Amino acid sequence: KAGVTQTPRYLIKTRGQQVTLSCSPISGHRSVSWYQQTPGQGLQFLFEYFSETQRNKGNFPGRFSGRQFSNSRSEMNVSTLELGDSALYLCASSKTGGAGANVLTFGAGSRLTVL
Amino acid sequence: GQQLNQSPQSMFIQEGEDVSMNCTSSSIFNTWLWYKQDPGEGPVLLIALYKAGELTSNGRLTAQFGITRKDSFLNISASIPSDVGIYFCAGRVDNQGGKLIFGQGTELSVKP
């Protein structure tokens, strides 16, 4: 069974640019959550999508957005990049019912460097 | 907002020793989870706890859900070199699905 796939794994952008990250969840998982991981702030929740709708949102500015497609794949976008946006962005998927519901399985992450 | 205090921040131990780490919170959580993260990878779930007082084992790992629902601990017995990594606790409130609150992590180093 394929795991959570995130692309790209590494990318470098400059301040002011925007970036789009992609996440393919485990087959059958309909919930996708996004996290930002930095040395200073640790792992912080960005948002969760289920059935193409944002179900939960963390405390990040509006520059951070996401969406989910009908096949449960998700993308997140960061506009007007700032140096502080440099981080590992992690996607996690989960089932929403039955055994193992809400158990998050994480991808390997997309490491974003903003110069 | 909700915060988790995880301790210790780092541990340097000898192979074969037992390890204990814990998380405390000022808020109640209905689920406690323990993850391990290796360099260049995402966190991997070790143990999930769903009921106050629950004690669960996974091989050499044992974790407990505190009776007050505000704390949890993880023990690793007879540590081996591949236990090296960063361990995170995470808590969840029931109706918050994919939203986890993470501790700051415990970095474990094991000397052969």
Side-chain angles (χ1 to χ4, degrees):
Chain A
K1 194 174 188 182
V4 178
T5 304
Q6 293 189 244
T7 56
R9 287 293 310 272
Y10 303 91
L11 66 167
I12 299 173
K13 294 284 187 178
T14 55
R15 279 181 297 175
Q17 287 187 311
Q18 65 124 18
V19 66
T20 298
L21 308 177
S22 180
C23 173
S24 293
I26 290 172
S27 178
H29 286 195
R30 295 173 60 197
S31 169
V32 174
S33 301
W34 289 90
Y35 287 79
Q36 182 195 63
Q37 185 174 27
T38 60
Q41 298 298 316
L43 281 146
Q44 292 193 295
F45 174 77
L46 281 157
F47 28 64
E48 177 192 11
Y49 286 87
F50 173 72
S51 290
E52 303 177 64
T53 302
Q54 189 179 86
R55 186 158 73 169
N56 277 309
K57 189 178 188 305
N59 296 323
F60 280 82
R63 299 185 298 107
F64 292 81
S65 63
R67 60 177 176 168
Q68 186 179 34
F69 302 95
S70 58
N71 61 358
S72 294
R73 190 177 69 85
S74 177
E75 289 181 347
M76 67 162 283
N77 184 79
V78 188
S79 62
T80 320
L81 284 166
E82 301 176 359
L83 295 179
D85 296 334
S86 294
L88 181 66
Y89 289 88
L90 291 160
C91 168
S93 73
S94 64
K95 297 192 298 182
T96 51
N102 295 320
V103 173
L104 270 63
T105 301
F106 284 86
S110 292
R111 182 164 295 282
L112 170 67
T113 302
V114 182
L115 302 176
Chain B
Q2 294 168 315
Q3 286 186 316
L4 290 183
N5 298 309
Q6 185 172 349
S7 64
Q9 279 189 306
S10 60
M11 301 182 75
F12 297 86
I13 62 169
Q14 197 81 26
E15 183 177 359
E17 289 183 354
D18 296 344
V19 171
S20 185
M21 58 192 79
N22 69 83
C23 275
T24 60
S25 170
S26 57
S27 304
I28 288 173
F29 290 104
N30 289 318
T31 303
W32 281 94
L33 304 158
W34 285 91
Y35 284 87
K36 180 186 180 220
Q37 187 174 27
D38 292 326
E41 300 294 331
V44 174
L45 181 69
L46 299 173
I47 293 179
L49 303 158
Y50 299 103
K51 288 194 290 190
E54 180 180 355
L55 183 72
T56 297
S57 294
N58 177 9
R60 295 178 295 105
L61 278 59
T62 301
Q64 184 157 31
F65 191 143
I67 199 74
T68 64
R69 294 197 285 162
K70 293 183 179 181
D71 63 316
S72 177
F73 72 75
L74 174 70
N75 287 342
I76 305 173
S77 63
S79 58
I80 58 178
S82 62
D83 290 334
V84 165
I86 303 178
Y87 292 78
F88 292 97
C89 62
R92 178 171 59 217
V93 177
D94 256 346
N95 61 350
Q96 301 272 304
K99 181 179 179 179
L100 301 179
I101 308 298
F102 279 86
Q104 290 296 318
T106 295
E107 185 169 9
L108 179 63
S109 300
V110 179
K111 187 177 178 182

